[in-house]
């Protein structure tokens, strides 16, 4: 056997062994460079979810609280990331041109600033719910997304919960006939007292906008249209001036009327005893009723629950939501919870709030929707 033949054969075999690895490397997408703005309770939780997403490098973290910032930077560093810490998001965006996607989890009254700045800088944006503090701010963000290079995804993560997603798909496919009515409630203990802004309705938008918008979003998604009008009532019955200066309600109820004669009722109580009520989202149709969170339905006039087939059963909606954000950013794909749907659901929550505050029926047209 000639030396030339032997060398050629060895080279061919080496190339054959290396080829699959080379192809895998070529197929693997470039790692997405991600930054975070706001890493307190919610933002810190989203940061932990992002640790589990493949192909992500967290390169910058911003928070105005030095202790919170250090905790987040340390946590990311322990996971193998190399984030640079910032106290000013504008400085972070200006200095780190290599940032591709930004997750924003600041208080509601500060959503618009970093969102607009990030979109104008060409970044992909994931901003926590609700979209913004006012209808005008929602419109401003929506308009910014229309000319933005990056995608915008809102933090309405219940849309990515496997059970709820399967339930909505079943409803919209006509599995229960015509949708007639929906009922939801969030009856829990009070919010964390160490977050003063949550109890200031000027900053948070009140509980119906800051908290209940999740469940309201599910019902708006199920119907597929904006409501026509809303009416409601609420106030502070137990936690008066608790914590000091509280202006957010501790209970309220709201009724929405949608097109096609569909009604949605929702109640929210913060003095519910442990394990007494909880959280429910139910939809009633002409052929049965379904529990969205359980992905189980019951036929009209028949006993016995019927479980739906649930893709990704058991996986966390929060994790699937941030995974979807990265996938959408890579493909520049319109998210399920995009700017249009985020504005519709946020305005629906604001519509209910306005009806409660003003003790009258409020129409969709009044909200500029």
């Amino acid at each position: 056997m000639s030396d030339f033949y032997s060398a050629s054969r060895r080279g061919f075999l080496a190339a054959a062994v290396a080829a699959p690895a080379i192809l895998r490397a070529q197929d693997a997408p470039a790692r997405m460079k991600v930054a975070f703005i706001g890493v307190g309770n919610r933002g810190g939780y989203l940061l932990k979810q992002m640790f589990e997403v493949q192909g992500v490098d967290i390169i910058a973290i911003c928070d105005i609280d030095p202790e919170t910032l250090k905790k987040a930077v340390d946590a990311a560093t322990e996971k193998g990331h190399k984030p640079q810490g910032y106290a000013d998001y504008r400085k972070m965006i200006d200095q780190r041109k290599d940032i591709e996607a930004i997750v924003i989890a600041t208080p509601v009254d500060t959503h618009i600033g970093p969102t607009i700045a990030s979109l104008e800088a060409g970044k992909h944006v994931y901003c926590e719910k609700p979209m913004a503090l006012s209808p005008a701010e929602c419109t401003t963000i929506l308009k910014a997304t229309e000319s933005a290079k990056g995608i915008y995804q809102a933090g309405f993560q219940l849309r990515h919960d496997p059970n709820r997603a399967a339930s909505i798909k079943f409803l919209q496919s006509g599995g229960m006939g015509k949708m007639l009515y929906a009922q939801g409630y969030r009856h829990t203990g009070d919010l964390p007292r160490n977050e003063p802004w949550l109890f200031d309705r000027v900053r948070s938008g009140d509980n119906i906008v800051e908290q209940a918008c999740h469940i309201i979003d599910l019902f708006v998604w199920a119907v597929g249209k904006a409501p026509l009008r809303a009416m409601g009532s609420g106030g502070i019955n137990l936690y008066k001036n608790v914590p000091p200066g509280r202006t957010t309600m501790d209970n309220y109820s709201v009724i929405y009327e949608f097109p096609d004669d569909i009604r949605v009722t929702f109640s929210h109580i913060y003095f519910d005893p442990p394990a007494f009520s909880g959280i429910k989202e139910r939809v009633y149709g002409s052929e049965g009723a379904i529990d969205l969170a359980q992905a189980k339905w019951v036929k009209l006039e028949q006993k016995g629950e019927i479980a739906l087939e649930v893709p990704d059963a058991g996986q966390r909606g929060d994790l699937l939501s941030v995974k979807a954000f990265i996938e959408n950013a890579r493909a520049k794909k319109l998210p399920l919870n995009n700017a249009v749907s985020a504005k519709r659901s946020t305005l629906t929550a604001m519509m209910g709030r306005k009806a409660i505050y003003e003790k009258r029926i409020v129409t969709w047209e009044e909200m500029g929707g």
Side-chain angles (χ1 to χ4, degrees):
M1 185 181 294
S2 69
D3 291 339
F4 174 79
Y5 179 81
S6 298
S8 299
R9 184 172 183 275
R10 286 195 300 271
F12 173 79
L13 291 174
V17 171
I22 294 172
L23 290 173
R24 285 195 297 271
Q26 291 175 341
D27 291 341
R31 297 182 67 82
M32 180 74 67
K33 295 178 175 60
V34 179
F36 276 73
I37 300 175
V39 283
N41 284 348
R42 183 62 189 170
Y45 178 74
L46 288 177
L47 180 65
K48 292 179 181 177
Q49 306 309 303
M50 193 64 78
F51 292 159
E52 299 185 40
V53 181
Q54 298 297 314
V56 167
D57 287 330
I58 299 169
I59 65 170
I61 298 175
C62 177
D63 200 284
I64 61 173
D65 181 72
E67 185 177 341
T68 300
L69 177 59
K70 183 180 184 304
K71 182 180 178 182
V73 169
D74 289 346
T77 302
E78 288 177 7
K79 292 294 183 178
H81 301 275
K82 298 178 181 179
Q84 186 174 356
Y86 290 88
D88 187 332
Y89 73 83
R90 291 171 289 263
K91 184 177 180 180
M92 181 187 77
I93 293 172
D94 183 60
Q95 291 185 353
R96 295 302 303 261
K97 305 296 185 183
D98 52 341
I99 294 172
E100 297 174 90
I102 298 179
V103 177
I104 301 167
T106 59
V108 180
D109 60 325
T110 61
H111 280 185
I112 189 167
T115 297
I116 296 298
S118 300
L119 289 171
E120 289 182 344
K123 314 303 182 185
H124 302 292
V125 173
Y126 180 109
C127 185
E128 260 302 338
K129 54 74 193 167
M131 189 178 202
L133 190 64
S134 68
E137 288 185 354
C138 290
T139 298
T140 298
I141 292 175
L142 177 60
K143 287 183 178 179
T145 66
E146 293 171 350
S147 58
K149 293 182 179 179
I151 67 157
Y152 171 91
Q153 181 169 322
F156 287 104
Q157 79 276 356
L158 290 186
R159 291 192 176 211
H160 296 272
D161 173 73
N163 283 358
R164 293 176 172 93
S167 296
I168 298 296
K169 182 178 180 181
F170 178 69
L171 282 170
Q172 294 181 339
S173 69
M176 289 195 339
K178 181 184 182 301
M179 182 175 172
L180 304 174
Y181 185 91
Q183 175 198 46
Y185 58 80
R186 183 187 178 104
H187 297 176
T188 64
D190 206 17
L191 295 171
R193 300 286 169 79
N194 64 339
E195 296 287 349
W197 71 271
L198 287 172
F199 300 92
D200 181 354
R201 70 185 192 182
V202 173
R203 296 199 63 198
S204 69
D206 216 324
N207 302 320
I208 188 171
V209 175
E210 205 284 324
Q211 292 282 307
C213 61
H214 277 302
I215 296 177
I216 290 171
D217 174 63
L218 286 177
F219 292 140
V220 173
W221 183 27
V223 177
K225 299 176 182 177
L228 300 172
R229 60 190 65 86
M231 60 198 83
S233 180
I236 308 174
N237 286 52
L238 178 62
Y239 296 125
K240 298 181 185 296
N241 204 37
V242 180
R246 180 186 192 128
T247 55
T248 56
M249 299 178 285
D250 63 11
N251 76 98
Y252 63 86
S253 297
V254 62
I255 301 173
Y256 293 100
E257 292 183 354
F258 283 82
D260 302 320
D261 203 27
I262 298 172
R263 274 166 290 283
V264 173
T265 66
F266 180 78
S267 64
H268 203 164
I269 297 173
Y270 281 107
F271 41 79
D272 195 68
F276 185 70
S277 299
I279 300 173
K280 281 289 182 183
E281 306 122 20
R282 291 169 169 161
V283 175
Y284 298 80
S286 58
E287 298 177 17
I290 190 168
D291 185 309
L292 300 184
Q294 296 296 319
K296 295 178 180 178
W297 74 292
V298 180
K299 291 183 179 180
L300 194 64
E301 299 180 354
Q302 291 186 25
K303 290 183 178 181
E305 295 179 334
I306 304 170
L308 300 181
E309 182 177 342
V310 179
D312 299 321
Q315 294 197 40
R316 302 190 305 276
D318 293 297
L319 175 57
L320 293 176
S321 182
V322 295
K323 276 186 176 180
F325 171 57
I326 298 302
E327 292 169 2
N328 293 332
R330 290 190 191 283
K332 294 188 177 180
K333 177 184 175 183
L334 183 69
L336 174 64
N337 34 337
N338 55 70
V340 173
S341 67
K343 179 182 178 181
R344 180 184 292 172
S345 294
T346 299
L347 289 190
T348 299
M350 292 176 178
M351 183 179 174
R353 179 186 64 191
K354 187 175 180 68
I356 293 168
Y357 284 1
E358 299 181 10
K359 300 184 185 300
R360 67 179 181 87
I361 296 174
V362 175
T363 66
W364 182 249
E365 286 74 17
E366 291 180 66
M367 304 306 298

